[in-house]
Amino acid sequence: MSVDIECPDELRPAAEAAAAASGLKEGHLCVELVDTVRITGLNRIHRDKNEPTDVLSFPIDGRERATGPRELGDVMICAERSDDLEQAVVHGVLHLAGFDHERDDGEMLALEQRILARLRSGD
């Protein structure tokens, strides 16, 4: 079993590294680049914030499994709002894996930094 990742080719290494480091073993996820208008609309609908943001994650509850791979969710990234696309991908995928930096005493952000350091060192 493995994680099936749909994303732009240049972002695949970051998505794969985050999935592996977070312990995801199977399923499907999608990383999509969107414009400011789209990310603002999504932020308004799902977070009640009428402003653009850099990354949004939409995890799907894996308890209702169908035949085939589990649907992990979607990560939407606004390149216009993100200073670092690799970081945005890693951040979003970690959210899909169940991490929450607003509740975990820094665990998610520390893991994010370790993943990015490995990616950038070529390991």
Side-chain angles (χ1 to χ4, degrees), residues 18-68:
S22 65
L24 292 174
K25 304 253 188 268
E26 65 159 332
H28 172 263
L29 67 89
C30 180
V31 176
E32 184 178 345
L33 296 176
V34 298
D35 64 17
T36 302
V37 172
R38 179 82 169 122
I39 204 89
T40 301
L42 291 168
N43 208 21
R44 181 176 49 253
I45 292 166
H46 296 283
R47 297 179 64 223
D48 202 27
K49 295 183 179 190
N50 192 26
E51 59 191 31
T53 188
D54 56 349
V55 61
L56 292 171
S57 295
F58 299 100
I60 296 172
D61 187 349
R63 287 179 284 173
E64 296 179 24
R65 290 186 176 211
T67 57

Side-chain angles (χ1 to χ4, degrees), residues 16-117:
E16 289 173 345
S22 65
L24 292 174
K25 304 253 188 268
E26 65 159 332
H28 172 263
L29 67 89
C30 180
V31 176
E32 184 178 345
L33 296 176
V34 298
D35 64 17
T36 302
V37 172
R38 179 82 169 122
I39 204 89
T40 301
L42 291 168
N43 208 21
R44 181 176 49 253
I45 292 166
H46 296 283
R47 297 179 64 223
D48 202 27
K49 295 183 179 190
N50 192 26
E51 59 191 31
T53 188
D54 56 349
V55 61
L56 292 171
S57 295
F58 299 100
I60 296 172
D61 187 349
R63 287 179 284 173
E64 296 179 24
R65 290 186 176 211
T67 57
R70 176 178 160 214
E71 190 64 42
L72 298 167
D74 301 315
V75 176
M76 305 296 208
I77 299 170
C78 180
E80 299 164 54
R81 300 288 300 180
S82 178
D83 294 329
D84 184 339
L85 291 179
E86 280 187 328
Q87 182 272 334
V89 170
V90 170
H91 191 89
V93 172
L94 291 178
H95 274 305
L96 293 184
F99 288 87
D100 184 350
H101 55 85
E102 293 180 2
R103 298 183 189 157
D104 71 5
D105 295 326
E107 179 186 359
M108 176 183 164
L109 297 178
L111 178 57
E112 180 179 301
Q113 290 307 307
R114 288 193 303 273
I115 293 166
L116 290 169

